[in-house]
């Protein structure tokens, strides 16, 4: 099982202080179970893993197999919670050089998570000679970034592959009844999956939102779900992490930096940042979730972490066993003086870098939490996902915010639509024009 080590928080916040939050964590857990916490319409993720049936996973796998056999590339259109979970798991499980060495299935690409004209132009140009399919993911079914990408991709897919094939290789994952994505899927007869009403975007990786793209990429969704189920059944560490974060926040820490020592975990951190940032950043409260990839960023952000403002703490995700074995080579000339490492595992060097950094950061005034997983596979990622989700739900209650809404996200949309002259936004357009002069 996943391990949590908070001993290197002790110089900053005592173990007793953290334990002192245990009754509040227990209360928070009870109110999640009883559905009495703020945002209780969105608690579908809480027992989602144990509710997933083998038949449901078979259905997802069958759809994935159709896309895998009929496509050279599958584009996942979605933003925020409608893409980050899939991206995180696929990146973590893929060969780091898959673009060069190829994968044993279609390339899984992502779009609809930005409005970059160059990005979309280059994507559509790349797809112009490919047998491609699309997974259109939007809970609301109205998100501009996703809708734009989907319009482009649907048209291109129909033109390149004909309407009949397009109907087979376009899949929609959206609300059961509402939104343009649902209307379109029903009208066109696409295979579609429902995002449950009570599961918010950033908690949806274990619904078809994450499971279908992950299965299309060729990874084991059964093991992913099994890992999450085991963590759901054995979840005490999530409460400890929540209590530790809260104790550090109460002690004046404002930024949590999620650090990894495996480049494949970069997007796990991006997923985590959304989960925590969108859930807790409310009412002028909340830790700012940041991330670094180490040791890479020790040569860029390391100075700041070591000696900058002391309002940070660090949470390290450590992978105990790499998938491959590689030894540090010996060199006759030994110009770099590194022959003392010859014959030792590269991972040993990495682990000593991790430990050395952890000790240095603690000495520099940065509390350190360590989360260790045995290996980077679907099962352990499933554990990690549920661990972070539950800890988020618990922590937000300690903080006193509704973890499951995101009212602040609307502000930019309102201004963007007013600036673009969207019908119905006339008053806002006038106000913004007057403001900009
Ligand atoms: O967590 C959330 O709810 C958001 O990040 C959404 O996932 C994101 O805004 C995309 O929304 P939708 O799936 O409705 O297009």
């Amino acid at each position: 099982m996943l391990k949590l080590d908070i001993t290197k928080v002790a110089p900053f916040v005592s173990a007793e202080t953290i334990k002192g939050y245990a009754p509040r964590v227990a209360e928070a857990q009870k109110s999640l179970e009883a559905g009495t916490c703020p945002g209780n319409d969105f608690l579908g993720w809480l027992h989602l893993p144990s509710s997933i049936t083998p038949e449901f996973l078979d259905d997802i796998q069958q759809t994935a197999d159709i896309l895998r056999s009929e496509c050279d590339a599958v584009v996942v259109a979605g933003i925020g919670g409608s893409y980050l979970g899939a991206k995180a798991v696929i990146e973590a499980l893929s060969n780091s050089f898959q673009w060069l060495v190829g994968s044993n299935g279609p390339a899984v690409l992502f779009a609809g998570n930005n409005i970059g004209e160059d990005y979309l132009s280059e994507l559509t140009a790349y797809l112009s000679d490919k047998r491609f399919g699309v997974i259109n993911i939007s809970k609301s079914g109205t998100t501009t970034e996703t809708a734009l990408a989907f319009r482009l991709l649907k048209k291109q897919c129909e033109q390149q592959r004909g309407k009949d094939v397009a109907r087979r290789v376009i899949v929609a994952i959206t609300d059961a009844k509402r939104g343009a994505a649902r209307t379109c899927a029903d009208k066109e007869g696409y295979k579609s999956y429902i995002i449950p009403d009570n599961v918010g975007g950033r908690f949806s990786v274990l619904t078809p939102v994450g499971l279908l793209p992950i299965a299309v990429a060729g990874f084991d969704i059964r093991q992913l779900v099994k890992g999450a189920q085991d963590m759901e059944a054995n979840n005490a560490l999530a409460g400890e992490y929540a209590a530790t974060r809260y104790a550090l926040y109460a002690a004046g820490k404002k930024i949590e930096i999620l650090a990894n020592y495996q480049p494949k975990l970069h997007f796990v951190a991006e997923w985590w940042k959304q989960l925590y940032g969108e859930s807790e950043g409310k009412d002028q409260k909340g830790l700012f979730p940041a991330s670094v990839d180490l040791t890479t960023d020790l040569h860029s952000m390391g100075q700041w972490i070591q000696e900058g403002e002391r309002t940070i703490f660090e949470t390290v995700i450590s992978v105990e066993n790499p998938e491959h074995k590689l030894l540090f080579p010996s060199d006759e000339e030994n110009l770099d003086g590194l022959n003392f490492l010859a014959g030792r595992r590269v991972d040993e060097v990495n682990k000593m870098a991790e430990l050395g950094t952890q000790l240095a950061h603690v000495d520099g005034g940065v509390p350190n939490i360590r989360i260790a997983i045995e290996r980077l596979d679907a099962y352990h990622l499933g554990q990690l996902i549920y661990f972070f989700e539950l800890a988020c739900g618990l922590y937000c209650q300690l903080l006193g915010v509704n973890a499951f809404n995101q009212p602040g996200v609307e502000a930019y949309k309102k201004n963007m639509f007013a600036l673009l002259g969207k019908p119905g936004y006339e008053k806002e357009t006038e106000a913004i024009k007057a403001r900009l002069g």
Side-chain angles (χ1 to χ4, degrees):
M1 281 303 272
L2 174 152
K3 294 175 195 142
L4 176 73
D5 179 2
I6 58 166
T7 53
K8 291 186 178 60
V9 170
F12 309 92
V13 175
S14 72
E16 287 65 42
T17 306
I18 294 169
K19 276 200 197 106
Y21 287 109
R24 287 185 58 193
V25 171
E27 271 308 301
Q29 177 86 43
K30 261 194 217 153
S31 67
L32 283 178
E33 295 293 348
T36 51
C37 62
N40 54 5
D41 286 352
F42 288 94
L43 293 174
W45 57 273
L46 185 63
H47 293 299
L48 178 68
S50 57
S51 74
I52 297 174
T53 62
E55 294 71 31
F56 178 71
L57 292 178
D58 286 347
D59 185 80
I60 301 255
Q61 192 61 56
Q62 270 164 24
T63 304
D65 290 343
I66 293 172
L67 291 173
R68 281 174 68 77
S69 69
E70 298 214 26
C71 303
D72 305 319
V74 173
V75 187
V76 179
I79 193 166
S82 289
Y83 104 99
L84 278 167
K87 176 86 176 161
V89 173
I90 291 170
E91 286 263 326
L93 297 179
S94 294
N95 184 299
S96 306
F97 300 97
Q98 64 164 325
W99 305 115
L100 301 172
V101 301
S103 55
N104 70 341
V108 178
L109 309 171
F110 291 86
N113 54 57
N114 65 65
I115 320 179
E117 190 161 334
D118 287 342
Y119 184 94
L120 287 166
S121 304
E122 287 161 17
L123 174 68
T124 50
Y126 169 78
L127 294 171
S128 64
D129 60 352
K130 306 277 181 307
R131 297 182 315 141
F132 79 92
V134 186
I135 305 176
N136 185 33
I137 309 181
S138 179
K139 185 165 188 206
S140 62
T142 55
T143 301
T144 309
E145 289 87 341
T146 308
L148 163 64
F150 184 63
R151 270 194 189 209
L152 290 166
L153 294 166
K154 174 178 187 286
K155 212 174 188 174
Q156 185 175 354
C157 186
E158 287 171 352
Q159 277 165 0
Q160 273 174 224
R161 308 198 64 182
K163 269 215 153 209
D164 284 344
V165 177
R167 207 166 280 132
R168 283 205 305 277
V169 297
I170 298 179
V171 178
I173 304 177
T174 187
D175 187 82
K177 296 196 189 79
R178 282 163 299 158
R182 168 52 56 200
T183 312
C184 172
D186 290 348
K187 180 172 152 278
E188 300 286 355
Y190 298 149
K191 169 82 181 174
S192 69
Y193 290 98
I194 292 167
I195 309 175
D197 268 351
N198 59 358
V199 180
R202 57 190 173 276
F203 288 83
S204 69
V205 53
L206 298 170
T207 72
V209 169
L211 297 176
L212 182 62
I214 292 165
V216 170
F219 298 116
D220 190 340
I221 52 174
R222 290 175 186 84
Q223 280 301 308
L224 185 81
V225 168
K226 173 84 174 75
Q229 287 169 342
D230 287 354
M231 184 54 66
E232 179 190 331
N234 194 353
N235 64 24
L237 293 180
E240 201 176 324
Y241 175 51
T244 309
R245 293 180 93 235
Y246 187 70
L248 287 164
Y249 182 66
K253 302 300 174 191
K254 302 290 179 212
I255 299 167
E256 177 177 14
I257 303 176
L258 191 72
N260 69 73
Y261 285 80
Q262 301 291 345
K264 290 181 182 189
L265 286 172
H266 177 85
F267 269 93
V268 168
E270 295 303 310
W271 169 81
W272 172 88
K273 284 195 283 195
Q274 187 206 353
L275 180 63
Y276 281 79
E278 226 173 22
S279 299
E280 70 176 288
K282 283 157 205 165
D283 308 334
Q284 280 80 51
K285 294 194 276 195
L287 284 160
F288 181 83
S291 66
V292 286
D293 299 325
L294 304 181
T295 62
T296 315
D297 294 340
L298 290 175
H299 298 261
S300 56
M301 295 303 293
Q303 173 61 34
W304 200 103
I305 298 171
Q306 191 66 42
E307 296 182 349
E309 199 179 335
R310 301 297 73 185
T311 47
I312 60 174
F313 69 93
E314 193 172 39
T315 298
V316 174
I317 303 180
S318 184
V319 180
E320 286 174 343
N321 302 296
E323 198 186 333
H324 303 285
K325 185 172 177 183
L326 184 66
L327 301 183
F328 207 104
S330 156
D331 187 275
E332 250 174 47
E333 290 188 85
N334 195 26
L335 291 177
D336 52 17
L338 293 175
N339 264 356
F340 76 100
L341 293 173
R344 289 158 80 176
R345 294 275 300 263
V346 169
D347 192 56
E348 184 192 344
V349 182
N350 201 25
K351 290 291 187 307
M352 291 310 108
E354 181 188 318
L355 182 57
T357 305
Q358 190 187 39
L359 296 172
H361 287 177
V362 171
D363 290 346
V366 182
N368 192 290
I369 299 172
R370 184 168 183 270
I371 296 164
I373 56 171
E374 208 178 300
R375 52 188 75 252
L376 200 46
D377 58 14
Y379 176 77
H380 291 92
L381 280 173
Q383 285 192 7
L384 194 64
I385 285 167
Y386 189 81
F387 166 82
F388 278 137
E389 287 182 351
L390 179 58
C392 182
L394 295 170
Y395 168 87
C396 285
Q397 288 186 69
L398 299 179
L399 189 64
V401 298
N402 176 351
F404 309 111
N405 63 4
Q406 53 283 327
V409 180
E410 297 310 310
Y412 98 91
K413 292 184 192 168
K414 198 176 90 193
N415 288 343
M416 177 179 76
F417 289 142
L419 286 162
L420 289 168
K422 183 174 177 174
Y425 281 72
E426 292 75 11
K427 250 175 53 201
E428 287 83 356
T429 303
E430 285 315 308
I432 214 161
K433 271 190 190 154
R435 181 174 162 191
L436 295 175

